[in-house]
Amino acid sequence: MRYGTDAQRKRWLEPLLAGEIRSCFAMTEPDVASSDATNIRARIERQGDEYLINGRKWWSSGAGDPRCRIAIFMGRSNPEAEKHQQQSMILVPMDAPGVTIRADIAESRMEIEQARLLTMKAAYLMDRVGNKGARGELAMVKVVVPRMPMARTKSIGRRSRSWN
């Protein structure tokens, strides 16, 4: 292995390869087109023997899995370097101070998207085959859409973690 200390490999890589734990990749940020790493705003700053990480990440696939123990966090570590050399990745234990995951946001977005698609399908069927032909979808819309605020209220009590 090219990167990481022996202790890091033992603590993280071996359990990952054995399927005992999961990891997530924390790159996407809410306010920038962060699929392009040069737009990343989160900071990684060395302070003595430690690193201070300051940033907010969104849509970190796998972060909500209870087996997720480590995040590979992308941030700007050298803002004075050439544009494509400013970024670094650092391992962040999911139980580190300041790491939280807010699964309720993702769940709400999924509920909204599902209701939107169901509504669009119902409208399409109403145009194509009439109201009788769309009655099943219309019935589902009448159930799904009013439940969305209730589902959001229930999710407030769920485990909530986010990158802050």
Side-chain angles (χ1 to χ4, degrees):
M1 295 291 158
R2 184 173 170 186
Y3 299 101
T5 66
D6 287 338
Q8 288 171 329
R9 289 185 203 130
K10 183 82 171 159
R11 182 174 178 191
W12 305 116
L13 185 58
E14 290 177 16
L16 276 167
L17 293 174
E20 297 164 3
I21 66 171
R22 299 278 312 264
S23 66
C24 69
F25 186 61
M27 178 175 170
T28 308
E29 296 180 358
D31 299 323
V32 297
S34 46
S35 58
D36 177 353
T38 63
N39 293 325
I40 297 291
R41 291 185 183 164
R43 299 292 303 267
I44 301 172
E45 299 173 11
R46 188 174 193 135
Q47 294 185 343
D49 291 339
E50 297 182 348
Y51 290 91
L52 175 66
I53 297 172
N54 190 0
R56 187 171 177 201
K57 299 295 184 177
W58 270 20
W59 314 118
S60 299
S61 298
D65 189 311
R67 297 168 296 163
C68 185
R69 300 288 185 262
I70 188 82
I72 303 164
F73 185 97
M74 179 173 274
R76 184 171 290 182
S77 58
N78 189 358
E80 306 305 319
E82 294 288 325
K83 185 176 182 177
H84 290 87
Q85 296 179 341
Q86 295 179 1
Q87 302 75 22
S88 296
M89 289 184 266
I90 189 168
L91 298 177
V92 180
M94 295 302 282
D95 60 357
V99 174
T100 55
I101 294 180
R102 294 187 54 192
D104 56 329
I105 292 172
E107 289 172 9
S108 294
R109 295 276 309 256
M110 289 185 295
E111 291 162 357
I112 290 167
E113 185 65 10
Q114 290 168 345
R116 185 188 71 79
L117 291 171
L118 185 56
T119 303
M120 296 292 288
K121 182 179 180 187
Y124 171 82
L125 287 173
M126 289 169 61
D127 287 344
R128 292 284 189 211
V129 295
N131 292 355
K132 282 188 178 181
R135 70 182 173 271
E137 282 73 13
L138 290 169
M140 288 186 276
V141 167
K142 289 178 180 180
V143 172
V144 170
V145 173
R147 283 187 179 175
M148 287 174 41
M150 291 184 289
R152 174 68 182 116
T153 302
K154 289 178 186 176
S155 74
I156 290 171
R158 294 182 191 154
R159 187 174 113 198
S160 179
R161 303 188 317 180
S162 69
W163 295 99
N164 288 322

